[in-house]
Coordinates of all heavy atoms in Angstrom, one line a residue:
E18 N 24.2 -11.4 -14.0 CA 23.6 -10.1 -14.4 C 22.0 -10.2 -14.4 O 21.4 -9.2 -14.0 CB 24.1 -9.7 -15.7 CG 25.5 -9.1 -15.7 CD 25.9 -8.6 -17.1 OE1 25.1 -8.5 -18.0 OE2 27.1 -8.3 -17.3
L19 N 21.5 -11.3 -14.9 CA 20.1 -11.4 -14.9 C 19.5 -11.4 -13.5 O 18.5 -10.8 -13.2 CB 19.7 -12.7 -15.6 CG 20.0 -12.8 -17.1 CD1 19.8 -14.2 -17.6 CD2 19.2 -11.8 -17.9
A20 N 20.2 -12.1 -12.6 CA 19.8 -12.2 -11.2 C 19.9 -10.8 -10.5 O 19.0 -10.4 -9.8 CB 20.6 -13.2 -10.4
A21 N 21.0 -10.1 -10.8 CA 21.1 -8.7 -10.3 C 20.0 -7.8 -10.8 O 19.5 -7.0 -10.0 CB 22.5 -8.2 -10.6
G22 N 19.6 -7.9 -12.0 CA 18.6 -7.1 -12.6 C 17.2 -7.4 -11.9 O 16.5 -6.5 -11.5
L23 N 17.0 -8.7 -11.8 CA 15.7 -9.1 -11.1 C 15.7 -8.7 -9.6 O 14.7 -8.2 -9.1 CB 15.5 -10.6 -11.2 CG 15.0 -11.1 -12.5 CD1 15.0 -12.6 -12.6 CD2 13.7 -10.5 -12.9
H24 N 16.8 -8.8 -9.0 CA 16.9 -8.4 -7.6 C 16.6 -6.9 -7.4 O 15.9 -6.5 -6.5 CB 18.3 -8.8 -7.0 CG 18.3 -8.6 -5.5 ND1 17.7 -9.4 -4.6 CD2 19.0 -7.7 -4.7 CE1 17.9 -9.0 -3.4 NE2 18.7 -8.0 -3.4
A25 N 17.2 -6.1 -8.3 CA 16.9 -4.6 -8.3 C 15.4 -4.4 -8.4 O 14.9 -3.5 -7.7 CB 17.7 -3.9 -9.3
V26 N 14.8 -5.1 -9.4 CA 13.3 -4.9 -9.6 C 12.6 -5.3 -8.3 O 11.6 -4.7 -7.9 CB 12.9 -5.7 -10.8 CG1 11.4 -5.7 -10.9 CG2 13.5 -5.0 -12.1
F27 N 13.0 -6.4 -7.7 CA 12.3 -6.9 -6.5 C 12.5 -5.9 -5.4 O 11.5 -5.8 -4.6 CB 12.8 -8.3 -6.1 CG 12.6 -9.4 -7.1 CD1 13.3 -10.6 -7.1 CD2 11.6 -9.3 -8.1 CE1 13.1 -11.6 -8.0 CE2 11.3 -10.3 -9.0 CZ 12.1 -11.4 -9.0
L28 N 13.6 -5.3 -5.2 CA 13.8 -4.3 -4.2 C 12.9 -3.1 -4.4 O 12.3 -2.6 -3.5 CB 15.3 -3.8 -4.2 CG 16.3 -4.8 -3.5 CD1 17.7 -4.3 -3.8 CD2 16.0 -4.9 -2.1
L29 N 12.7 -2.7 -5.7 CA 11.8 -1.6 -6.0 C 10.4 -2.0 -5.7 O 9.6 -1.2 -5.1 CB 12.0 -1.1 -7.4 CG 11.0 0.0 -7.9 CD1 11.2 1.3 -7.0 CD2 11.3 0.3 -9.4
L30 N 10.0 -3.2 -6.1 CA 8.7 -3.7 -5.8 C 8.4 -3.7 -4.3 O 7.3 -3.4 -3.8 CB 8.5 -5.2 -6.3 CG 7.2 -5.9 -6.0 CD1 6.1 -5.1 -6.7 CD2 7.3 -7.3 -6.5
F31 N 9.4 -4.1 -3.5 CA 9.2 -4.1 -2.0 C 9.0 -2.7 -1.5 O 8.1 -2.4 -0.7 CB 10.5 -4.7 -1.3 CG 10.5 -4.5 0.1 CD1 9.7 -5.2 1.0 CD2 11.3 -3.6 0.7 CE1 9.7 -5.1 2.3 CE2 11.3 -3.4 2.1 CZ 10.5 -4.2 2.9
G32 N 9.7 -1.7 -2.1 CA 9.5 -0.3 -1.7 C 8.1 0.2 -2.0 O 7.5 0.9 -1.2
I33 N 7.7 -0.2 -3.2 CA 6.3 0.2 -3.6 C 5.3 -0.5 -2.7 O 4.3 0.1 -2.3 CB 6.1 -0.1 -5.1 CG1 7.0 0.8 -5.9 CG2 4.6 0.0 -5.4 CD1 7.0 0.4 -7.4
A34 N 5.5 -1.8 -2.4 CA 4.5 -2.5 -1.5 C 4.5 -1.9 -0.1 O 3.4 -1.7 0.5 CB 4.9 -4.0 -1.4
V35 N 5.6 -1.5 0.4 CA 5.6 -0.8 1.7 C 4.9 0.5 1.7 O 4.1 0.9 2.6 CB 7.1 -0.7 2.3 CG1 7.1 0.2 3.5 CG2 7.6 -2.1 2.6
A36 N 5.2 1.3 0.6 CA 4.5 2.6 0.5 C 3.0 2.4 0.4 O 2.3 3.2 1.0 CB 5.1 3.4 -0.7
N37 N 2.6 1.4 -0.4 CA 1.2 1.1 -0.5 C 0.6 0.8 0.9 O -0.5 1.2 1.2 CB 0.9 0.0 -1.5 CG -0.5 -0.4 -1.6 OD1 -1.3 0.4 -2.0 ND2 -0.8 -1.6 -1.2
M38 N 1.3 0.0 1.6 CA 0.8 -0.5 3.0 C 0.7 0.8 3.9 O -0.3 0.9 4.6 CB 1.8 -1.4 3.6 CG 1.5 -1.9 4.9 SD 0.2 -3.1 4.8 CE 0.1 -3.7 6.4
L39 N 1.6 1.7 3.8 CA 1.5 2.9 4.6 C 0.3 3.8 4.2 O -0.4 4.3 5.0 CB 2.8 3.7 4.6 CG 4.0 3.0 5.2 CD1 5.3 3.8 4.9 CD2 3.8 2.8 6.7
A40 N 0.1 3.9 2.9 CA -1.0 4.7 2.4 C -2.3 4.0 2.8 O -3.3 4.7 3.1 CB -0.9 4.8 0.9
V41 N -2.4 2.7 2.7 CA -3.6 2.0 3.1 C -4.0 2.2 4.6 O -5.1 2.3 4.9 CB -3.5 0.5 2.7 CG1 -4.5 -0.4 3.4 CG2 -3.6 0.3 1.2
M42 N -3.0 2.3 5.4 CA -3.2 2.5 6.8 C -3.9 3.9 7.1 O -4.5 4.0 8.1 CB -1.9 2.5 7.6 CG -1.2 1.1 7.5 SD -2.1 -0.3 8.1 CE -1.9 0.0 9.8
L43 N -3.8 4.8 6.1 CA -4.4 6.1 6.3 C -5.9 6.1 5.8 O -6.6 7.1 6.0 CB -3.6 7.1 5.5 CG -2.2 7.4 5.9 CD1 -1.5 8.3 5.0 CD2 -2.1 7.9 7.4
L44 N -6.4 5.0 5.3 CA -7.8 5.0 4.9 C -8.7 5.1 6.1 O -8.4 4.6 7.2 CB -8.1 3.6 4.2 CG -7.6 3.4 2.8 CD1 -7.9 2.0 2.3 CD2 -8.3 4.4 1.8
P45 N -9.8 5.9 5.9 CA -10.7 6.0 7.1 C -11.4 4.7 7.3 O -11.6 3.9 6.4 CB -11.7 7.1 6.6 CG -11.6 7.1 5.1 CD -10.2 6.6 4.8
K46 N -11.9 4.5 8.5 CA -12.7 3.4 8.9 C -14.1 3.5 8.2 O -14.5 4.5 7.9 CB -12.9 3.2 10.4 CG -11.5 3.0 11.1 CD -11.7 2.8 12.6 CE -10.4 2.5 13.2 NZ -10.4 2.4 14.6
R47 N -14.7 2.3 8.0 CA -16.0 2.3 7.4 C -17.0 3.2 8.0 O -17.8 3.9 7.4 CB -16.5 0.8 7.3 CG -17.9 0.8 6.6 CD -18.2 -0.7 6.3 NE -19.6 -0.8 5.8 CZ -20.0 -0.5 4.6 NH1 -19.2 0.1 3.7 NH2 -21.3 -0.7 4.2
R48 N -17.1 3.2 9.3 CA -18.1 4.0 10.0 C -17.8 5.5 9.8 O -18.8 6.3 9.7 CB -18.2 3.6 11.5 CG -17.0 4.0 12.3 CD -17.1 3.7 13.8 NE -15.8 3.4 14.3 CZ -15.4 2.3 14.9 NH1 -16.3 1.4 15.2 NH2 -14.2 2.2 15.3
N49 N -16.6 5.9 9.7 CA -16.3 7.3 9.4 C -16.7 7.6 8.0 O -17.2 8.7 7.7 CB -14.8 7.5 9.6 CG -14.3 7.4 11.0 OD1 -15.1 7.3 11.9 ND2 -13.0 7.4 11.2
M50 N -16.5 6.7 7.0 CA -16.9 7.0 5.7 C -18.4 7.1 5.6 O -18.9 8.0 4.9 CB -16.4 5.8 4.7 CG -14.9 5.9 4.4 SD -14.4 4.8 3.1 CE -15.0 3.2 3.7
M51 N -19.1 6.2 6.3 CA -20.6 6.2 6.3 C -21.1 7.5 6.9 O -22.0 8.1 6.4 CB -21.2 5.0 7.0 CG -20.8 3.7 6.3 SD -21.3 3.6 4.6 CE -23.0 3.5 4.7
A52 N -20.5 7.9 8.0 CA -20.9 9.2 8.7 C -20.7 10.4 7.8 O -21.5 11.3 7.7 CB -20.2 9.4 10.0
Q53 N -19.6 10.4 7.1 CA -19.2 11.5 6.2 C -20.2 11.5 5.0 O -20.7 12.6 4.6 CB -17.8 11.3 5.6 CG -17.4 12.4 4.7 CD -16.0 12.2 4.1 OE1 -15.4 11.2 4.3 NE2 -15.5 13.2 3.3
Q54 N -20.6 10.3 4.5 CA -21.5 10.3 3.3 C -22.9 10.7 3.8 O -23.5 11.4 3.0 CB -21.5 8.8 2.8 CG -22.3 8.7 1.5 CD -22.2 7.3 0.9 OE1 -22.0 6.4 1.7 NE2 -22.4 7.2 -0.4
Q55 N -23.3 10.4 4.9 CA -24.6 10.8 5.4 C -24.7 12.3 5.7 O -25.7 13.0 5.4 CB -25.0 10.0 6.7 CG -25.4 8.6 6.4 CD -25.6 7.8 7.6 OE1 -25.5 8.2 8.7 NE2 -26.1 6.5 7.4

């Protein structure tokens, strides 16, 4: 049961990590940020 509980948490952590990775891919490039700021 302890292992099943941890495994469920690890699966959720994986889902959050993948969602974060996808969100990070949408970040603008540095030159685009600098152009927008100027």
Side-chain angles (χ1 to χ4, degrees):
E18 284 184 10
L19 295 172
L23 284 174
H24 189 72
V26 169
F27 296 160
L28 284 171
L29 179 58
L30 176 65
F31 171 72
I33 292 169
V35 168
N37 178 64
M38 181 75 171
L39 294 173
V41 162
M42 299 299 283
L43 298 174
L44 283 174
K46 294 183 178 176
R47 178 167 172 77
R48 68 177 151 234
N49 294 350
M50 285 191 303
M51 296 306 289
Q53 179 184 6
Q54 191 175 25
Q55 289 175 354

